[in-house]
Amino acid sequence: MRYLIPSILLLLLALACTPKATPVIDEEPPPPPSTEVEEEPVNSRCATFDDDENPDYVADQYFLYRQAIKRKEYDEAFKKWKIVYERSPAADGERNTVLTDGIFFYNLLIQADSTSKERYAKKIVDLYAQADECYPDNAYMIGLRGFDSYYTYPGMASDEEVYAMFKRSIDLDEEDFPFFVINPMSKLVYDRYEEGDIDLEEARYVVQHLTDRLAKGLSECEENGDCDTWGLINGYMPSAIAQFETVDDFFDCDYYVELYYPNFEANPDDCATVVDVLNRLKWGGCKRETSPEYASAIAVYESECRIDTTKGTNPLREGYDAIRNNDNERAIELLTEGVELIADPEKKAQVYMAIANTEYRMRRFSSARATARKAAQLRPGWGQPYMLIGRMYASSGPLCGSGTGFDSQRVVWVAIDMWNRAKQVDGSVAGEANKLIGQYRQYLPFRADVFQRGLKEGDSYTVPCWIQQSTTIRTIQ
């Protein structure tokens, strides 16, 4: 949910709380982002030190302004930077640092003089375009340009154009494209597919690369010392791409086993969970003879959870048959009809949860929550309805925010509320609830993000979007 961003953008967030009377150039920024090429020279198309009539002078000015940045002498650094930029924008021809430093400086100027934001933002756009001209195949810069266009300066480019930038960044460096591309692209790829702008093959290509990049980042994070960053990305991206679960044959059996079979293992005695997991595995193409997980789930279903109905037409039996056949619309219709035939409150609650889980699979969160609440009313000591509502809240970051910062993180408050309630009413779900609370606590908003909005920890807050629930503000750091 939380989304770590390049150092330029971290600086902007830090400066957002700085009083306007304080000169921005006196603030201490983190080091400018490193975009230096460590592999082969890229042979820039733009002017380099060697192209200048006095190459030693320009190279010296480059060195001096970089040192001035380190000393936080930004006025002096900016003056010398302009000399280098005008004469040798491509530096030594092997790194685009002059151009990225320019973006850094103009971001500072925007913070110092917000009335000139449009003019400075235009200069940033020009610097990005020049970077693409000088170093046309730099995946980092292309991704960063997309990121700034999407988050920092909305309106610099349309969503279609931002998607194209991120896609190009991925294409250029399939295994190591920039980490900050992952979250926004995981949202944009679904939006573009839904709008009909990209086909199923391209959507699969992008999602697979996002998934592989996340897995690679997580596997290497201990060695690289950036596990916090990858853990936070992992809190958002899977929820965003889960929207493709409604697309037939998008994900394979392994995806559903990895994501949902643990729910069955944690709740093998809960028939609503068994039915839900079984349906997801079947939707993913799992079969009894090739998937031991599917075989285990269907064995429990057949021995413990099959609805006992009379022969002949019966909406409950037909509804559960529709679930197993992945006919979700028909399943909801039949089970809604059949639940009215049941007198026993616990059995009725079980059917409501089957309906709620089906609605959840279809991403109909409001309807699923209402149905789960009916189940909770009929069976007051049952934690599963609250567990499901909590999962819906936790997966709503992509629906209720852009994938970075406060807007996506605030859904964690109400998710934790639901999981706490679940374990309070039903001790049998305490282990699962505690695991989810521990997993998602790291995605709470930063204290600074809350403070910037005039809020404080402990205050009451109503989470908007489809959720519309009151909660208590909690933060980390």
Side-chain angles (χ1 to χ4, degrees):
M1 303 232 164
R2 185 174 300 109
Y3 180 50
L4 285 244
I5 57 181
S7 55
I8 286 177
L9 303 173
L10 286 172
L11 173 64
L12 294 181
L13 295 176
L15 296 179
C17 294
T18 303
K20 296 301 180 184
T22 303
V24 173
I25 87 168
D26 288 337
E27 296 294 321
E28 179 178 358
S34 173
T35 57
E36 297 182 0
V37 177
E38 298 178 354
E39 297 86 12
E40 299 178 2
V42 293
N43 298 320
S44 169
R45 300 175 181 176
C46 302
T48 68
F49 299 151
D50 290 339
D51 296 320
D52 193 83
E53 61 183 11
N54 192 345
D56 290 340
Y57 170 75
V58 182
D60 285 345
Q61 295 301 303
Y62 173 84
F63 174 79
L64 290 171
Y65 96 68
R66 295 285 287 173
Q67 292 301 308
I69 288 176
K70 293 179 181 179
R71 296 192 303 269
K72 298 169 286 186
E73 297 172 355
Y74 302 120
D75 281 334
E76 184 66 22
F78 187 54
K79 292 175 184 177
K80 294 184 184 303
W81 171 83
K82 287 193 290 186
I83 295 171
V84 179
Y85 171 68
E86 290 169 1
R87 298 169 67 160
S88 303
D92 59 359
E94 299 182 22
R95 66 205 74 239
N96 55 17
T97 319
V98 174
L99 300 169
T100 59
D101 286 343
I103 294 168
F104 170 78
F105 284 125
Y106 282 102
N107 274 318
L108 286 178
L109 288 169
I110 286 173
Q111 296 305 306
D113 180 12
S114 60
T115 61
S116 299
K117 178 177 179 178
E118 185 175 347
R119 177 164 60 92
Y120 292 140
K122 174 63 167 59
K123 185 61 180 177
I124 289 172
V125 173
D126 292 342
L127 285 165
Y128 273 124
Q130 191 171 5
D132 197 27
E133 177 185 350
C134 297
Y135 298 93
D137 294 325
N138 188 309
Y140 182 97
M141 281 302 296
I142 295 166
L144 186 57
R145 182 181 183 182
F147 186 95
D148 261 351
S149 300
Y150 191 67
Y151 286 119
T152 313
Y153 303 112
M156 282 174 59
S158 67
D159 282 358
E160 291 85 354
E161 290 170 325
V162 174
Y163 171 87
M165 294 177 207
F166 288 151
K167 173 67 162 46
R168 187 175 164 209
S169 180
I170 292 171
D171 290 341
L172 287 169
D173 195 351
E174 294 186 346
E175 294 187 0
D176 291 297
F177 60 87
F179 71 89
F180 50 80
V181 166
I182 297 175
N183 275 9
M185 188 54 153
S186 64
K187 177 175 174 59
L188 286 173
V189 65
Y190 182 77
D191 292 344
R192 301 274 62 76
Y193 175 77
E194 278 288 284
E195 293 294 324
D197 295 330
I198 63 173
D199 59 22
L200 189 61
E201 182 179 356
E202 181 170 329
R204 280 202 188 100
Y205 168 86
V206 171
V207 168
Q208 187 61 59
H209 280 75
L210 295 175
T211 303
D212 291 346
R213 183 69 181 93
L214 175 58
K216 186 174 188 289
L218 290 171
S219 69
E220 298 176 349
C221 71
E222 289 190 13
E223 178 183 350
N224 297 329
D226 57 0
C227 286
D228 287 346
T229 297
W230 287 104
L232 296 172
I233 295 172
N234 192 38
Y236 180 89
M237 192 275 280
S239 296
I241 66 169
Q243 297 178 93
F244 282 106
E245 290 180 14
T246 60
V247 179
D248 188 15
D249 199 33
F250 192 90
F251 295 114
D252 61 14
C253 176
D254 290 341
Y255 169 89
Y256 289 95
V257 167
E258 180 178 356
L259 196 59
Y260 294 107
Y261 190 70
N263 294 343
F264 168 77
E265 293 180 303
N267 305 282
D269 299 326
D270 184 80
C271 287
T273 299
V274 173
V275 171
D276 177 58
V277 172
L278 186 61
N279 184 53
R280 290 183 187 273
L281 297 185
K282 186 172 183 179
W283 177 250
C286 298
K287 300 182 183 301
R288 192 195 303 250
E289 57 272 19
T290 57
S291 171
E293 294 84 6
Y294 182 83
S296 296
I298 199 167
V300 172
Y301 169 78
E302 290 176 345
S303 64
E304 304 294 337
C305 301
R306 185 181 292 277
I307 297 295
D308 183 17
T309 60
T310 58
K311 293 182 179 180
T313 301
N314 184 289
L316 287 176
R317 185 180 65 246
E318 293 181 3
Y320 278 91
D321 285 343
I323 287 179
R324 291 193 298 277
N325 292 325
N326 299 312
D327 188 352
N328 293 321
E329 293 282 8
R330 182 64 173 157
I332 292 172
E333 178 185 343
L334 290 165
L335 293 178
T336 301
E337 177 186 349
V339 74
E340 300 301 325
L341 305 176
I342 302 174
D344 181 85
E346 289 201 3
K347 292 182 179 178
K348 201 175 185 107
Q350 196 82 41
V351 177
Y352 274 129
M353 278 303 294
I355 297 172
N357 277 312
T358 304
E359 292 170 325
Y360 173 45
R361 285 193 298 274
M362 301 174 73
R363 315 295 288 181
R364 297 177 182 176
F365 289 169
S366 293
S367 296
R369 178 176 62 183
T371 307
R373 285 173 172 170
K374 291 180 182 179
Q377 291 172 353
L378 288 166
R379 191 173 166 183
W382 196 21
Q384 287 302 326
Y386 303 111
M387 294 298 296
L388 176 63
I389 295 172
R391 286 194 292 272
M392 286 190 280
Y393 289 163
S395 62
S396 292
L399 297 177
C400 301
S402 60
T404 182
F406 180 83
D407 288 348
S408 288
Q409 295 163 338
R410 58 191 170 183
V411 302
V412 177
W413 293 332
V414 284
I416 290 176
D417 291 344
M418 285 295 101
W419 294 326
N420 277 323
R421 187 171 183 183
K423 66 180 184 177
Q424 287 169 0
V425 302
D426 184 356
S428 69
V429 303
E432 181 186 4
N434 286 332
K435 179 180 177 181
L436 288 169
I437 291 170
Q439 176 184 342
Y440 278 87
R441 186 174 284 125
Q442 64 182 314
Y443 308 136
L444 291 170
F446 283 124
R447 188 176 294 119
D449 291 342
V450 169
F451 176 77
Q452 287 175 10
R453 291 163 174 78
L455 306 171
K456 64 180 180 180
E457 193 163 7
D459 281 355
S460 178
Y461 182 88
T462 298
V463 178
C465 192
W466 72 272
I467 296 174
Q468 297 296 323
Q469 292 295 301
S470 179
T471 185
T472 301
I473 294 174
R474 284 146 283 180
T475 67
I476 57 175
Q477 295 188 0

